[in-house]
Amino acid sequence: IERTFSIIKPDAVRRNLIGKIIAKFEENGLRPVAMKKIHMTREQAEGFYAVHKERPFFGELVEQMIASPVVVQVLEGEGAILKNREIMGATNPANAAEGTIRKEFALSVGENSVHGSDAPETAAQEIKYFFSDDEIV
Ligand code: ATP
Ligand code: MG
């Protein structure tokens, strides 16, 4: 059984979509095994997105992530990493498939409602970045 890391981003939390997004995960066999609502610091957001620091959208990405609270979660299920990416849909909502979170809720490439780990190594790293072992139940 696999675990992945998820963020319900500020744009979605502000629009009261936490419940609808968690419902999508649960309906598709992903069980939240850890969750908390946090307001990320700039340092936390910059560290989390360090791989993107040379990209032109880095500044905008960090500003969006710290603008207001997010919900961070660990999701568990069969093939959780890939399954979560499928449920989220393409990064750009214009390319996201019908029924995906980004198709239904995302506003733009930047304000695209959710983050999900893209591989086993990043999942493990991102889970550790926000959760201690005793918070995962
Ligand atoms: P995430 O990592 O958030 O799950 P992703 O893996 O689909 O999304 P990445 O390429 O890792 O996309 O980009 C990380 C985030 O940076 C995206 O979710 C998006 O919010 C933002 N982003 C990516 N490309 C752009 C862009 N061209 N313009 C603005 N923001 C962007
Ligand atoms: Mg990514």
Side-chain angles (χ1 to χ4, degrees):
I1 199 103
E2 194 172 64
R3 286 175 177 171
T4 191
F5 175 74
S6 162
I7 303 177
I8 303 177
K9 294 187 179 183
D11 73 271
V13 174
R14 282 198 297 267
R15 288 178 291 142
N16 300 323
L17 295 171
I18 296 171
K20 287 193 169 131
I21 290 174
I22 294 176
K24 291 253 189 216
F25 296 142
E26 291 190 320
E27 283 160 10
N28 287 283
L30 292 182
R31 180 184 297 272
V33 291
M35 55 167 75
K36 55 192 171 191
K37 190 178 188 191
I38 60 170
H39 195 151
M40 275 195 219
T41 64
R42 181 175 298 278
E43 293 65 36
Q44 234 174 347
E46 286 176 351
F48 182 75
Y49 280 120
V51 290
H52 295 309
K53 69 174 180 295
E54 306 303 334
R55 309 278 287 276
F57 56 82
F58 181 71
E60 180 191 332
L61 177 59
V62 169
E63 293 303 331
Q64 284 169 352
M65 292 304 286
I66 68 177
S68 58
V70 300
V71 172
V72 289
Q73 294 182 85
V74 179
L75 302 174
E76 187 176 85
E78 295 297 337
I81 296 168
L82 244 175
K83 189 178 278 183
N84 183 37
R85 302 284 298 182
E86 284 170 11
I87 298 166
M88 291 185 346
T91 308
N92 185 340
N95 304 326
E98 216 51 58
T100 61
I101 291 169
R102 283 164 169 168
K103 174 71 178 187
E104 280 190 32
F105 304 127
L107 301 171
S108 63
V109 189
E111 295 192 301
N112 60 1
S113 303
V114 281
H115 162 84
S117 309
D118 56 14
E121 304 71 44
T122 47
Q125 192 185 325
E126 291 174 1
I127 289 169
K128 262 183 73 179
Y129 195 79
F130 287 102
F131 292 100
S132 57
D133 286 345
D134 65 303
E135 290 178 300
I136 303 170
V137 294

